[in-house]
Amino acid sequence: MSSENLEPLSFINQLRRMLEYVMKPIEEKGGTFYNLVSFLDKPINRIYLANLILGKLERPKTTTYSVTTDYSMTLKEMKAVLKYEWEYCEYLEVNLPRDKEGVVNIDFEFLQFNIGVDKKDVQAYIEVHGLRSATIAELLAFGAQYPEMLCKEYNILALGSSWRPWGMDYECVPSISLMSISGSNIRALVSQHDKGNLGSKCIFLVTPK
């Protein structure tokens, strides 16, 4: 329904409600109405917002990694393909997603932010851009097929698999990387909690839906 078909009072109420919707997450992050006005004052931001609302937002092209995942394997078998010398990941076999069967090939890509970000913000970005996060099974398959991509400079995360440690008020997600111990680089599979921001050194493994 266009604004032309609304009664004046109804239109005002609609605008008031939409403004409340927009301001709530801004205020939750410490922002104000001034921040919203400053954002909308820039033409490029208004164009971005229009494309976002209309589902026409395009992302820059990125390198893709073809990953073959065998969903019939157990978590122990998946971890054994690429031996991790350091492992601190409480993810349990019972949590392993079984929504896929057999051997499946999927193209994945990296998503990285140049600032620390909250997990909810990352998930919102992923949803808006028509992506989904990798699961731990896909993360382990990626590590086994692209071991050269593991490094000390960043952690590769799979937000598609998360769990809440007993008694804790936060969730954990699995990540793989290299760790430097006693002058040697070793492969690491660890849990990374999502309390606070995830840091600019996090890379999220994602794929188009």
Side-chain angles (χ1 to χ4, degrees), residues 36 39-40 43-54 57:
L36 175 62
F39 177 85
L40 294 176
I44 188 66
N45 288 342
R46 295 197 294 271
I47 294 172
Y48 171 86
L49 190 59
N51 286 329
L52 176 63
I53 293 171
L54 297 174
L57 203 60

Side-chain angles (χ1 to χ4, degrees), residues 1-15:
M1 178 182 294
S2 71
S3 58
E4 296 176 356
N5 298 325
L6 291 172
E7 294 295 328
L9 184 58
S10 177
F11 180 56
I12 293 173
N13 289 334
Q14 289 273 28
L15 285 177

Side-chain angles (χ1 to χ4, degrees), residues 120-190:
K120 290 188 295 184
D121 292 335
V122 179
Q123 291 173 322
Y125 181 96
I126 288 173
E127 180 66 26
V128 164
H129 287 83
L131 304 170
R132 76 161 177 84
S133 299
T135 64
I136 189 172
E138 294 159 342
L139 177 69
L140 293 172
F142 172 86
Q145 292 159 54
Y146 298 95
E148 71 279 3
M149 297 305 298
L150 275 66
C151 70
K152 295 182 296 182
E153 285 69 33
Y154 53 75
N155 300 320
I156 304 174
L157 280 67
L159 293 184
S161 295
S162 62
W163 68 97
R164 185 182 296 273
W166 188 85
M168 298 299 177
D169 62 350
Y170 58 83
E171 291 188 339
C172 289
V173 294
S175 72
I176 55 176
S177 65
L178 287 184
M179 291 179 61
S180 182
I181 297 182
S182 301
S184 299
N185 292 332
I186 63 173
R187 290 185 290 269
L189 168 64
V190 302

